[in-house]
Amino acid sequence: MSVAEKSLWHKLLDGKVSRRMVIQSAIAAGVAGSLKVAEAQGAAQSGDVNANNGAPAASVGNRAQLRPPFSTVETNFNDDLTLPVGYDYQVLAPWGELINERGDTVGYNHDFVGYFPIDLLEGGSSSADALLTINQEYPNALFVGGNVDNATDPKQVEAEMKAVGVSVVRVRRGGNAWEVVMDPRNRRIDATTECELTGPVRGKEVVGGATVVKGSVGNCSGGQTPWGTLLTCEENVDGYTETWGEASDYDATHQGWITEIDPFDASARPKKRTAMGRFRHENAAVTLAADGRVVVYMGDDMRDACVYKFVSKGSYNPDDRAANMDLLVEGDLYVADFSSGAWLLLDYDRNQDLKDAVDEETGASVVRSQAQVLADARTAALAIGGTPVDRPEDIEIHPRTGEVYVALTNNSDHGNYYGQIVKLRESADDWAAASFHWEIFAVGGPQSGFSSPDNLVFDPHGNLWMVTDSGTGEDSIYEFLGNNSMFFFPTEGPDVGKAFRFAVGPNEAEMTGPVWTPDGKTLFLSIQHPGEDSESLDALTSNFAAKEGTNVPRPTLVAISGFPGWGADV
Ligand code: FEO
Ligand code: CA
Ligand code: CA
């Protein structure tokens, strides 16, 4: 497609950009009109605000804090994590670290991090002791297995299958330092772990009749539920058919779902939630509607793919964790139509448009059952008018206004190299609503200083923090960005939508999975794929987080200190 040929999405964006000043005043006005959503959220979550990708956050009242609590850092191409003066980082749970007495080790390429206070199930919110869940998105043949010449070598495949999935790791703060604690709940879910398919697609032909499947892969971003489970999102799952197919019984139809994992029970089998559809799941932004139904916003990270919303059939019961464990088995899946601001129902029996949808060339039905709709949600969604947008990556919900922020990374097919962040607001401030309106929040590019927005996280004051996933390097169109960076954006006040640089990552790395302790004093952040373009162990492009005595870069968490905490005035 030529750049001149504008997609529907770009025509819609054009209509919004010209109204930029109007948008800014609408944002300011929106805060005042937000109480209904904020109150609903407060009621559902016992007064705590919902920040940190669903992780608990200590309450800060209804106070905005409009300035960043740091002095911005300059862009650079250094092979280090650059932080503002007064901030420091500690390498924690790097790839390969031992996590339990069975000999399990932390996987490769850290992404989403879930923070589960160790006392969460007793109503606590410890900021010094927690189970972390770390998504391990994908392997790197050079660093994992070492065989770069034969991707299908069984030993190579085995090493890669063990390096992906999710790591559950207990960590504790002693003094100023965090450490991994050997805990019986520490475990690895990898590409060989038995997982159960639940919901409408379980046992159906579209998954080869399977009810139990092997592994969880492509674990990108995710979310946390109010009942203390992880939702891990299976994003890029197709490529393994070729590389792992012969050496394993890898089946891509068993991947590409949202999988729910209980970090508090090492014997609990991960559950794939087929009612939430199968696509390139990037993220899961979880909240509760006023009536207690669970609402999850999700993006399909692909050029010209859609934004989705799932609404559970049942309602959350704060006193019945066992019942909550089945809430995501059944519910309604919707796709966003940004041209009309409507959520379109992806239910074969209740939406005639799905029955009427035919392939333009062949005249054949696009889908013939609800199992087909869910197993290839993208095809069904596009067939009924879901709006193809520019790679929806993370989605997060503003803790004070209830607005839903969507990071659209970029889409070179339509000349959008830098991406943008848009925000939508549900009708009547009801997350279960059938319609919404939306605006642009920030636009990437040399003038705004950021590019390719990926993971988002709000602090409880309502400020947005964002990490980039950009091509990097000197002499590229992304040179202005430097290495991938982390930014802070006020969402109200005079600097609304303005990007303040908080951190710059090491060479070729992407920072992912930001999450704070509930007191706001430690930020955990993943450093993913440092040195990923290294051609051999003799030509490494990064040495970030190398083990003592070696120079091989390691994906890792870092624990960043220096934050004043949510209660502090800055
Ligand atoms: Fe795994 Fe779309 O980032
Ligand atoms: Ca991502
Ligand atoms: Ca990404």
Side-chain angles (χ1 to χ4, degrees):
M1 179 174 291
S2 79
V3 170
E5 207 177 317
K6 280 207 166 140
S7 69
L8 167 64
W9 175 242
H10 284 253
K11 288 178 191 158
L12 294 172
L13 283 177
D14 284 351
K16 302 278 182 183
V17 168
S18 58
R19 294 166 49 212
R20 178 76 184 150
M21 295 318 290
V22 179
I23 292 161
Q24 295 206 343
S25 19
I27 290 167
V31 172
S34 69
L35 285 178
K36 189 171 169 190
V37 151
E39 280 168 7
Q41 191 156 301
Q45 309 223 343
S46 319
D48 281 353
V49 290
N50 180 16
N52 288 350
N53 293 323
S59 177
V60 292
N62 200 22
R63 213 151 39 85
Q65 206 163 54
L66 307 177
R67 298 292 302 171
F70 58 87
S71 306
T72 55
V73 300
E74 295 295 318
T75 174
N76 67 53
F77 290 101
N78 299 341
D79 186 33
D80 197 1
L81 175 62
T82 308
L83 296 170
V85 173
Y87 288 78
D88 232 327
Y89 74 88
Q90 175 205 337
V91 169
L92 181 70
W95 164 52
E97 177 159 349
L98 189 68
I99 57 169
N100 61 30
E101 282 161 9
R102 293 187 301 278
D104 290 333
T105 55
V106 175
Y108 199 77
N109 265 347
H110 303 38
D111 204 302
F112 180 82
V113 182
Y115 184 95
F116 298 88
I118 204 74
D119 51 3
L120 183 73
L121 302 188
E122 293 79 51
S125 57
S126 175
S127 287
D129 193 351
L131 291 168
L132 299 184
T133 58
I134 309 169
N135 280 4
Q136 317 282 182
E137 191 177 16
Y138 62 94
N140 174 302
L142 174 64
F143 299 122
V144 176
N147 190 343
V148 290
D149 299 321
N150 181 5
T152 60
D153 173 70
K155 279 210 172 68
Q156 177 69 25
V157 171
E158 189 186 350
E160 292 187 5
M161 292 181 81
K162 285 289 187 187
V164 299
V166 175
S167 303
V168 180
V169 186
R170 183 172 179 182
V171 295
R172 193 159 51 203
R173 179 162 58 191
N176 285 327
W178 287 87
E179 61 177 8
V180 168
V181 178
M182 291 288 152
D183 187 286
R185 287 165 289 193
N186 289 357
R187 65 165 161 159
R188 290 281 287 111
I189 289 95
D190 63 27
T192 68
T193 307
E194 273 191 359
C195 300
E196 193 169 344
L197 289 171
T198 71
V201 175
R202 177 186 165 88
K204 292 291 193 300
E205 200 182 330
V206 289
V207 288
T211 55
V212 175
V213 300
K214 210 164 123 178
S216 179
V217 309
N219 310 79
C220 189
S221 191
Q224 293 183 233
T225 65
W227 53 95
T229 60
L230 164 72
L231 301 182
T232 183
C233 296
E234 298 167 356
E235 185 193 16
N236 292 309
V237 303
D238 291 330
Y240 302 107
T241 306
E242 201 174 315
T243 53
W244 293 356
E246 288 279 305
S248 71
D249 47 1
Y250 182 78
D251 183 336
T253 69
H254 297 170
Q255 308 296 334
W257 304 100
I258 284 187
T259 295
E260 183 170 5
I261 294 173
D262 184 354
F264 292 96
D265 180 0
S267 65
R269 193 186 255 175
K271 304 272 177 66
K272 303 216 174 195
R273 302 308 190 189
T274 70
M276 302 171 86
R278 178 175 174 273
F279 44 88
R280 285 198 201 178
H281 277 287
E282 171 80 19
N283 80 296
V286 185
T287 190
L288 298 172
D291 61 7
R293 283 180 294 165
V294 187
V295 178
V296 186
Y297 294 92
M298 304 173 287
D300 180 11
D301 182 6
M302 191 170 148
R303 294 173 194 163
D304 300 315
C306 302
V307 172
Y308 297 80
K309 174 167 89 171
F310 174 82
V311 183
S312 69
K313 185 175 181 203
S315 292
Y316 172 66
N317 179 348
D319 301 320
D320 192 348
R321 187 169 190 252
N324 296 332
M325 287 290 190
D326 290 328
L327 278 176
L328 303 179
V329 172
E330 205 180 342
D332 289 332
L333 182 65
Y334 300 86
V335 63
D337 173 355
F338 283 88
S339 61
S340 66
W343 290 107
L344 310 177
L345 180 63
L346 287 163
D347 185 300
Y348 188 76
D349 295 321
R350 287 150 61 209
N351 187 344
Q352 187 65 33
D353 289 350
L354 285 164
K355 290 183 174 148
D356 293 343
V358 291
D359 184 288
E360 278 178 18
E361 280 177 20
T362 65
S365 295
V366 172
V367 283
R368 291 191 172 83
S369 68
Q370 182 60 6
Q372 285 184 358
V373 168
L374 293 171
D376 186 0
R378 182 184 308 129
T379 297
L382 292 171
I384 63 166
T387 306
V389 299
D390 292 348
R391 292 189 55 199
E393 293 232 38
D394 212 357
I395 302 177
E396 289 294 337
I397 301 166
H398 193 297
R400 299 178 67 241
T401 70
E403 290 163 311
V404 180
Y405 284 61
V406 184
L408 299 164
T409 293
N410 53 42
N411 187 341
S412 53
D413 286 355
H414 305 297
N416 178 8
Y417 296 99
Y418 303 126
Q420 58 271 123
I421 300 170
V422 302
K423 55 173 202 156
L424 60 90
R425 190 174 190 120
E426 298 280 19
S427 295
D429 286 340
D430 174 8
W431 286 302
S435 62
F436 63 91
H437 63 264
W438 65 280
E439 301 288 0
I440 297 169
F441 171 69
V443 178
Q447 286 175 317
S448 48
F450 75 90
S451 179
S452 313
D454 194 332
N455 293 162
L456 309 174
V457 63
F458 280 101
D459 65 35
H461 300 293
N463 297 306
L464 181 65
W465 300 67
M466 178 275 279
V467 288
T468 64
D469 176 11
S470 184
T472 58
E474 287 155 285
D475 299 325
S476 79
I477 61 164
Y478 300 109
E479 182 168 353
F480 71 91
L481 181 70
N483 283 348
N484 272 310
S485 295
M486 183 169 187
F487 292 93
F488 166 102
F489 298 83
T491 61
E492 57 182 295
D495 290 325
V496 62
K498 187 173 164 190
F500 295 84
R501 187 181 282 97
F502 170 71
V504 184
N507 290 347
E508 291 153 24
E510 180 185 342
M511 290 177 283
T512 52
V515 65
W516 278 278
T517 49
D519 63 6
K521 290 188 176 167
T522 298
L523 173 71
F524 296 102
L525 187 64
S526 294
I527 307 292
Q528 193 186 68
H529 59 71
E532 73 169 345
D533 295 339
S534 301
E535 286 184 1
S536 75
L537 296 178
D538 298 324
L540 296 167
T541 55
S542 169
N543 311 119
F544 187 76
K547 209 188 254 182
E548 213 177 316
T550 80
N551 58 0
V552 176
R554 287 183 299 178
T556 186
L557 290 189
V558 290
I560 300 177
S561 58
F563 290 93
W566 303 138
D569 281 316
V570 287

